[in-house]
Amino acid sequence: MWSWTEASPWVPLLAVITYLGMAGLIMVFAPSHWRHLGWANRITLVRGLLIALLTGALADPGLLARYATPLVALVLLALMLDGVDGWVARRTSTQSDFGARFDMELDAWLILVLCLAMLLLGKAGPWVLAIGAMRYAFVMAGLKLTWLTAALPESRRRKAVCVWQVAALMIALLPTAGSTAASWLAGSALVGLTGSFMVDICWLYRHATAKRPKGCRTGSHS
């Protein structure tokens, strides 16, 4: 039977800190005119709770190893809720930019957590962190290259790559997946993610170039 009482005290502490961090970011970035989050965002917040528990488990690699299957079950539940919150938002006509961003940030954090879990369990080398870090590197690059911050069109390819990342890492964490199989699964996620980012970066660059006034120097940062 899985019990958090068997874990290091750092596990619940890290989980609580993670969840409080999420709540704090919501309070800071939620639109000021909102009176309540709405059902879709509440479901996303429940998903955030599951991800916070998974984050806490990183503080005890022994817990990760002993209870890999229950932890993967939490990942699967979080993945299922990822589809439910969007469905609820569409059915209640409560879609919003904040909700979409909230959902996306949770996806990115979950993927990073899964990559860290793989590293801690010795199922892949440090290279696996590139999967979880790539989006954050993209965001950091956007601070300098502002054309990277332009809005991207909706893309089924992008959504499919995100789902495969979570699914591949989730399968790789199962006790039945050996190091070789886990590395191949993570490698496929890395290749797919890299290709997807390249497509988006090329689209953003072409879009920015098309908007640039004629005679403007390529290296200009006006």
Side-chain angles (χ1 to χ4, degrees):
M1 195 68 184
W2 182 21
S3 173
W4 286 96
T5 59
E6 301 176 25
S8 161
W10 290 104
V11 171
L13 180 60
L14 181 57
V16 169
I17 290 173
T18 301
Y19 198 70
L20 290 177
M22 292 179 187
L25 289 173
I26 291 171
M27 292 177 65
V28 171
F29 293 104
S32 57
H33 63 275
W34 278 17
R35 294 182 180 178
H36 56 81
L37 284 176
W39 282 108
N41 286 323
R42 289 176 187 175
I43 293 172
T44 307
L45 198 56
V46 171
R47 190 159 67 91
L49 174 60
L50 298 177
I51 295 172
L53 292 175
L54 291 165
T55 303
L58 296 176
D60 188 346
L63 181 74
L64 283 175
R66 290 194 305 274
Y67 298 108
T69 300
L71 288 168
V72 167
L74 284 183
V75 177
L76 180 59
L77 181 56
L79 186 60
M80 293 170 63
L81 288 176
D82 192 14
V84 173
D85 56 8
W87 180 83
V88 170
R90 290 189 294 272
R91 287 296 297 268
T92 57
S93 299
T94 54
Q95 303 99 314
S96 67
D97 290 339
F98 171 78
R101 183 62 180 267
F102 183 19
D103 198 56
M104 181 176 64
E105 294 301 337
L106 279 183
D107 287 339
W109 183 253
L110 174 59
I111 290 167
L112 179 58
V113 168
L114 294 177
C115 291
L116 287 166
M118 283 196 66
L119 180 63
L120 290 173
L121 290 175
K123 290 206 166 189
W127 62 266
V128 75
L129 298 180
I131 301 173
M134 196 173 299
R135 183 183 174 278
Y136 295 104
F138 178 80
V139 172
M140 293 298 293
L143 298 177
K144 180 68 175 178
L145 305 173
T146 54
W147 54 270
L148 288 174
T149 62
L152 285 161
E154 287 288 327
S155 168
R156 290 184 179 179
R157 176 256 310 160
R158 200 178 302 119
K159 293 177 180 178
V161 168
C162 180
V163 171
W164 174 243
Q165 285 179 85
V166 177
L169 295 170
M170 181 175 63
I171 296 170
L173 285 171
L174 287 170
T176 53
S179 296
T180 302
S183 293
W184 276 101
L185 285 164
S188 69
L190 179 58
V191 170
L193 180 64
T194 302
S196 183
F197 265 107
M198 289 179 66
V199 170
D200 286 341
I201 290 171
C202 288
W203 186 92
L204 288 168
Y205 181 76
R206 289 197 302 269
H207 190 68
T209 302
K211 284 187 172 182
R212 186 179 296 129
K214 291 183 178 179
C216 180
R217 294 179 59 186
T218 304
S220 175
H221 295 286
S222 58

